[in-house]
Amino acid sequence: MPRTDTAILTGSDPHDDPIAPYDWSLILAEMNRTGHAVLPGLLSPQACGALAELYDRDTLFRSHIRMARHGFGRGEYKYFAYPLPDPVTALRRALYPRLAPLANDWAERLRGDRRYPADHAEFLAQCRAAGQARPTPLLLQYQAGDYNCLHQDLYGDLYFPIQAAILLSEPGRDFTGGEFVLTEQRPRMQSRPHVATLRQGDAILFAVNKRPVRGTRGDYAVTLRHGVSQVTSGHRHTLGIIFHDAR
């Protein structure tokens, strides 16, 4: 069963692994099959509420983006500053080593030169060496009428090919609408949409840019974008976990 306590918020046990209970062979197989996978109940309602409340603490953030000003949609989000809050650091450190083998497999299948170290700190050192040192984890906030256009979170030449989003609000109670949407652009074919059904505390893992798909003549690349459909009522908060830093 997924964890339901709030120890991840306190940082009291640096060795605590919030993702150990999941069957990672099934999760990685689903990532290979569809480009995304859901971790149900990764965070408890109490943990979700505590994270959402951080949005109003401006000293925790390096940047505040209002989407409409940039043509990104409607709504807003804030990028955390370093040092990250303990739960955000814990999630980054816990998820990355589970995903690095899949990232390397995808890179090999797509005939890319990049290989990803098993340790997240080592990967962040590579980001700094590439001139990317600004943290990318973020909190997003939507209200009625808001939406997020389809996009990719790349931030520089060096990026990790998988990221995570955790829904901090409860659909039907805190908001309506606001579905998480993924599209796959397949070569010489129309785009294929995916709509993920998430509940409060669920995390979705998904491809940042491209992923390999097995075809009759070997692997080929499909390009993914993600976004959020229009929120029709209430307020929706999401935590975004991106493993590379920004230029």
Side-chain angles (χ1 to χ4, degrees), residues 77-88:
Y77 53 90
K78 296 179 180 180
Y79 290 106
F80 284 105
Y82 278 132
L84 301 174
D86 287 343
V88 179

Side-chain angles (χ1 to χ4, degrees), residues 95 99 162-166 203-206 208 238-243:
L95 288 167
L99 298 172
I162 303 162
Q163 66 189 77
I166 305 171
I204 183 166
L205 306 169
F206 55 97
V208 172
T238 307
L239 172 65
I241 299 292
I242 299 164
F243 299 99

